[in-house]
Amino acid sequence: MCRPGRSGAYRHRAGGACVDTHKNVHVAAVLDHLGGLLDTGEFPATATGYHQLIDWARQFGKVLRAGVECTGSYGAGLARYLATQRVPVVEVNQPDRSARRRRGKTDAVDAESAARAALSGTARALPKSGNGQVEVLRMLRLAKNSAVKARTQALNQLKAVLINAPSALREALEPLSTAVLLRRCAELTDPCDGNPAADTAIFTLRLLAQRVLRLRQEVTEFGRRMTTAVQASAPSLLERFGIGPDSAAALLITAGDNPERLNSEASFAALCGASPVEKSSGKSRRRRLNRGGDRQANAALHRIVVTRMRQDERTRSYLERRTTEGRGKREIMRCLKRYVAREVYTLIRADMITCHQRPDDPSTLTTAA
């Protein structure tokens, strides 16, 4: 950063800046290399605002490090812009609650606290780049999960309406399988018998069935595109037993487009909530279940482990051996999750490196940008 010296000239003192991000505005604070607050400023959360923010920060000198809150949501655009400006970005968590109670809560105070965390090295996590196939997977999986939920709700509503439908209609439709029921309901025509309740029941059944069928097509299309995106980013995952496109997508989303930001496979396991947490006191030495991390990734590891315990011979042999040693099933599954996390991390890193070495692949050009 720059501060005036005794001679009146400016001395370049490297420091850091941090941004408290919001939907419409970002509040930034700039510190010198000793941690002194130089200035705070507020900028719009737009491309023009990003440019104004970095120009304002560089008025004080060279920006060695920028801390950004919420790099996966409100701060995503700013983090990507800073990366194009060759400014190192670190992910900053919200200020400590005890410190917030002492100092109060304003955007400027939050930005200053976050800047101190970035400058001191307390905040060291590198954000996800969010500009490659994994970001594509994140959007597709979000939309697919929403479509699956809406499809289930519509199907339940259809069956609830069918319970109170006219007796003749209910007796004709209830014994049918779900697929045939949807097809028959979607083909119903409006009767003209003057019974408003019966007419409305048929109308509702037809529209609900058509909604379910339409959502089913959406889920299928989202699944097809997700498979394509997984094959473009980490095809080795789909070659391993028990790992399907949905589970692979959840694990890739946790790793990000730049898994090199993770120091080791242990850090990836911690992100997935598959690493044991020390819980020792006095003479007691034990570890407990990790309830942190990305629960969607943890659920993906659980699905993989359950599938392998049922059908994979190596996993079944491991299960039998550990059971003989006196281990419980839940403890064995936690161990298996840890092994799967290590396997997945190795595959993801290898595939990402391979993709970055293929400049002729359009999808990898996006990832490496």
Side-chain angles (χ1 to χ4, degrees), residues 237-350:
L237 288 179
L238 299 181
E239 298 173 0
R240 295 304 175 101
F241 186 85
I243 304 181
D246 194 75
S247 297
L251 295 169
L252 282 168
I253 290 170
T254 300
D257 278 304
N258 50 336
E260 63 276 4
R261 68 192 179 90
L262 305 175
N263 295 326
S264 64
E265 53 86 17
S267 60
F268 177 71
L271 277 180
C272 296
S275 61
V277 178
E278 191 75 26
K279 191 177 182 182
S280 303
S281 178
K283 296 181 179 180
S284 174
R285 294 289 184 270
R286 68 187 187 91
R287 293 179 175 85
R288 68 165 175 82
L289 174 67
N290 187 350
R291 296 180 177 86
D294 188 341
R295 305 317 298 172
Q296 294 295 323
N298 191 274
L301 293 177
H302 181 83
R303 290 192 298 269
I304 296 169
V305 168
V306 170
T307 302
R308 292 183 175 183
M309 288 174 63
R310 292 175 179 173
Q311 303 178 21
D312 183 56
E313 290 300 327
R314 290 182 58 192
T315 306
R316 292 178 63 85
S317 300
Y318 176 84
L319 176 63
E320 294 174 0
R321 178 169 59 84
R322 299 292 277 180
T323 303
T324 305
E325 295 174 357
R327 304 288 184 178
K329 185 175 181 180
R330 296 180 65 182
E331 186 177 2
I332 297 172
M333 292 185 68
R334 287 199 292 269
C335 295
L336 288 170
K337 282 185 182 181
R338 183 66 179 83
Y339 295 146
V340 174
R342 180 181 297 124
E343 174 189 351
V344 168
Y345 174 78
T346 304
L347 294 173
I348 290 175
R349 285 296 300 268

Side-chain angles (χ1 to χ4, degrees), residues 8-79:
Y10 276 88
R11 296 181 300 173
H12 289 276
R13 295 187 175 182
C18 193
V19 186
D20 183 24
T21 58
H22 300 276
K23 181 178 181 180
N24 298 318
V25 296
H26 294 335
V27 180
V30 181
L31 304 180
D32 61 18
H33 72 295
L34 297 177
L37 178 64
L38 298 179
D39 198 4
T40 60
E42 184 174 303
F43 306 89
T46 61
T48 302
Y50 302 156
H51 183 71
Q52 293 172 353
L53 189 153
I54 192 64
D55 285 347
W56 166 80
R58 284 173 173 166
Q59 292 176 1
F60 301 95
K62 182 180 180 181
V63 181
L64 291 184
R65 186 183 300 113
V68 180
E69 291 186 358
C70 305
T71 58
S73 55
Y74 292 146
L78 177 61

Side-chain angles (χ1 to χ4, degrees), residues 123-138:
R124 300 189 301 270
L126 298 178
K128 300 177 183 178
S129 61
N131 58 357
Q133 291 293 339
V134 175
E135 179 64 14
V136 172
L137 279 171
R138 187 190 66 81

Side-chain angles (χ1 to χ4, degrees), residues 158 173 176-188 206 209-210 213 216:
L158 183 147
L173 296 178
L176 302 177
S177 64
T178 301
V180 179
L181 173 65
L182 290 173
R183 188 167 61 252
R184 290 281 298 276
C185 289
E187 296 172 352
L188 290 174
R206 183 175 69 250
Q210 293 174 354
L213 294 175
R216 180 176 291 179

